[in-house]
Amino acid sequence: MAKKKQVMQDALATNRKARFNYAIEETFEAGVVLTGTEIKSVRAGQITIGDGFVTVNDGQAMLVNVHIASYEQGNQFNVDPLRTRVLLLHKRQIKQLDVLTKEAGITVVPLKVYLKHGYAKVLIGVGRGKKQYDKRESIKKRDMERDANRRFKR
């Protein structure tokens, strides 16, 4: 009997600050329109999504401010590393994102980039910005869990 293929690899890039700075309410999986040299760089893990965000323009979801390094052997086919990339979502999901982003304090950020069946996917999250006291509470909770795990190991 043949083995099943692995559906999802580990994340190629994660935005660790997103869950700290935003209270993520909803997530979407989106495909990304990339050129040939860009997908090679993504597969090599040369992508940074820390400063990225998602906007909706003319009925298209766009991934802005995500850096994909130029492919070393790419010569003239390399494109601008910070160019705006189109996200592939269903129309109803794009409309839903558009409505959500019109609210004050709501931001759509990329959380994770991974490969699924050979295609680059981005997990985007709709989040509301946290206040400073919420961030302090998150730090306190994380430290308490870390201390409990240390005591449990002993």
Side-chain angles (χ1 to χ4, degrees):
M1 187 159 153
K3 283 181 142 181
K4 287 187 178 180
K5 287 186 178 181
Q6 185 179 4
V7 173
M8 188 170 69
Q9 287 185 345
D10 291 333
L12 299 171
T14 56
N15 189 351
R16 295 173 56 203
K17 281 289 191 182
R19 293 199 188 270
F20 180 73
N21 290 330
Y22 302 99
I24 304 298
E25 298 168 356
E26 195 173 353
T27 60
F28 297 95
E29 180 183 65
V32 188
V33 177
L34 298 173
T35 64
T37 55
E38 284 180 323
I39 189 64
K40 290 181 180 187
S41 290
V42 167
R43 285 186 176 138
Q46 298 178 348
I47 180 170
T48 307
I49 61 172
D51 297 331
F53 59 95
V54 176
T55 61
V56 178
N57 296 330
D58 299 329
Q60 285 190 328
M62 309 295 267
L63 187 61
V64 182
N65 212 17
V66 170
H67 185 275
I68 297 177
S70 297
Y71 187 59
E72 220 173 277
Q73 289 84 22
N75 57 39
Q76 81 257 21
F77 298 111
N78 282 330
V79 293
D80 180 30
L82 283 175
R83 75 180 182 94
T84 303
R85 293 164 182 91
V86 176
L87 291 177
L88 302 173
L89 290 163
H90 294 284
K91 276 187 181 180
R92 60 180 160 74
Q93 290 175 327
I94 293 172
K95 286 179 186 175
Q96 186 178 2
L97 281 178
D98 195 22
V99 169
L100 288 171
T101 54
K102 298 264 195 271
E103 288 182 41
I106 297 288
T107 306
V108 183
V109 292
L111 300 174
K112 181 169 49 169
V113 176
Y114 54 92
L115 293 176
K116 185 174 179 181
H117 300 295
Y119 296 104
K121 301 287 184 176
V122 178
L123 184 68
I124 57 175
V126 178
R128 189 174 301 277
K130 284 186 182 179
K131 303 286 186 199
Q132 187 65 35
Y133 56 85
D134 290 332
K135 293 179 185 180
R136 280 191 226 116
E137 192 175 307
S138 298
I139 292 170
K140 189 185 299 184
K141 197 180 295 184
R142 182 180 63 210
D143 289 344
M144 287 173 38
E145 287 175 6
R146 190 177 296 146
D147 289 341
N149 286 339
R150 283 183 192 151
R151 289 184 190 134
F152 184 68
K153 282 184 178 180
R154 292 181 187 171

